[in-house]
């Protein structure tokens, strides 16, 4: 997918034709290989970033080389609006977890849409509200849930229809990638996926996971949090 895909940008269909034309004129799509750095912490946030194909992660690290994944972004997800709105440098690294095609909308175009498109503003408000809820939930899950429940909730997050409308019920993801996103080892991610499969919440396929009970994954481990 070497060109911009409106199907991977839910907000694009909300725009007036003249606004769509401006986006198509300014957006670029770049291929990144597995492990490639898409955006670096501390750089100027001069683009809004969207996933056309593949899977990327947001992470932070320290001088000792320790890295913590904050979240994964599958097809249809967009990120970086907070740094653009606050006119600050990025506070995280953006890395390709697999071969990915990434769209970049210049910050000047993003701000132009804010000035000219009410539907875009409404979409962005809903997205920001959803993202805040997601990160609050993740902070709770990391402190209160075991590894099985963290894997379940992490998978459920990736199927959020507002944040990641490009996904249906099947996600191409390896056990190693799942471990990165849920902050557990590959072996522990494998154990969790097998357990969730036995409980008929998902089906593990070669290099992919098929969701059978999304609500079950969202609620998994609820008893542990009281």
């Amino acid at each position: 997918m070497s060109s911009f895909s409106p199907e991977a940008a839910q907000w694009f269909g909300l725009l007036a034709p003249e606004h769509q034309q401006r986006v198509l004129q300014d957006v670029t799509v770049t291929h990144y290989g597995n492990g490639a750095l898409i955006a670096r912490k501390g750089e100027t946030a001069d683009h809004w970033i969207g996933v056309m194909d593949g899977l990327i992660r947001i992470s932070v690290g320290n001088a000792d080389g320790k890295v913590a994944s904050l979240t994964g972004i599958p097809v249809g997800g967009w990120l970086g609006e907070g740094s653009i709105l606050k006119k600050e440098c990025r506070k995280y690294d953006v890395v390709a977890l697999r071969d990915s095609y990434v769209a970049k909308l210049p910050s000047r175009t993003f701000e132009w849409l804010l000035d000219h498109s009410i539907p875009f503003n409404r979409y962005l408000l809903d997205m920001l509200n959803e993202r805040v809820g997601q990160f609050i939930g993740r902070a709770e899950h990391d402190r209160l849930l075991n590894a099985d429940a963290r894997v379940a909730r992490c998978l459920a997050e990736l199927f959020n229809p507002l944040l990641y409308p490009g996904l249906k019920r099947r996600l191409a993801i390896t056990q190693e990638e799942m471990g990165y996103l849920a902050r557990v080892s590959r072996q522990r991610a494998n154990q969790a996926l097998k357990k969730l499969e036995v409980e008929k919440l998902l089906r593990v396929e070669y290099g992919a996971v098929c969701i059978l009970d999304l609500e079950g994954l969202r609620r998994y481990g609820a008893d542990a949090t009281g």
Side-chain angles (χ1 to χ4, degrees):
M1 184 180 296
S2 57
S3 59
F4 179 72
S5 171
E7 292 78 15
Q10 188 180 52
W11 51 270
F12 184 81
L14 305 175
L15 304 179
E18 62 270 24
H19 300 155
Q20 291 182 346
Q21 185 59 40
R22 172 68 181 268
V23 170
L24 293 173
Q25 174 185 311
D26 294 350
V27 71
T28 59
V29 177
T30 304
H31 172 261
Y32 291 91
N34 181 14
L37 185 67
I38 298 168
R40 186 186 302 275
K41 178 181 178 180
E43 291 179 342
T44 301
D46 52 5
H47 289 88
W48 196 34
I49 297 172
V51 183
M52 299 291 99
D53 188 41
L55 179 66
I56 68 177
R57 72 172 180 180
I58 300 175
S59 60
V60 293
N62 60 20
D64 297 328
K66 185 176 181 180
V67 176
S69 294
L70 300 180
T71 191
I73 309 291
V75 175
W78 288 76
L79 65 104
E81 63 283 339
S83 297
I84 294 176
L85 290 169
K86 290 183 285 186
K87 301 186 184 303
E88 65 181 17
C89 296
R90 296 197 192 279
K91 295 184 178 297
Y92 46 78
D93 293 321
V94 183
V95 180
L97 274 179
R98 59 174 55 199
D99 281 2
S100 301
Y101 284 91
V102 174
K104 293 186 177 182
L105 186 72
S107 56
R108 65 180 183 278
T109 309
F110 177 90
E111 292 169 346
W112 181 85
L113 287 173
L114 288 177
D115 290 339
H116 294 85
S117 175
I118 292 177
F120 184 75
N121 278 271
R122 288 174 175 165
Y123 171 84
L124 198 64
L125 182 62
D126 288 340
M127 189 184 71
L128 287 169
N129 184 54
E130 194 75 14
R131 203 186 299 284
V132 168
Q134 185 185 74
F135 276 100
I136 290 175
R138 175 163 281 231
E140 176 189 12
H141 302 160
D142 284 351
R143 288 163 174 77
L144 300 179
L145 298 180
N146 61 28
D148 295 333
R150 291 207 305 276
V151 169
R153 299 293 184 95
C154 183
L155 271 173
E157 287 177 4
L158 295 176
F159 287 87
N160 184 305
L162 178 61
L163 296 179
Y164 316 123
L167 288 183
K168 303 304 179 186
R169 287 298 175 104
R170 185 180 185 276
L171 173 66
I173 191 169
T174 66
Q175 294 167 6
E176 183 176 16
E177 292 165 350
M178 191 71 251
Y180 274 131
L181 298 182
R183 290 175 296 284
V184 299
S185 68
R186 182 186 64 80
Q187 294 83 356
R188 190 64 185 84
N190 179 36
Q191 293 173 9
L193 289 172
K194 287 181 177 179
K195 183 175 181 181
L196 296 171
E197 184 173 37
V198 169
E199 298 185 32
K200 302 186 183 306
L201 297 174
L202 54 82
R203 183 175 66 251
V204 178
E205 301 176 352
Y206 181 74
V209 173
C210 182
I211 304 303
L212 303 178
D213 184 353
L214 183 55
E215 286 305 315
L217 290 174
R218 287 172 174 159
R219 297 191 304 268
Y220 198 88
D223 293 343
T225 62

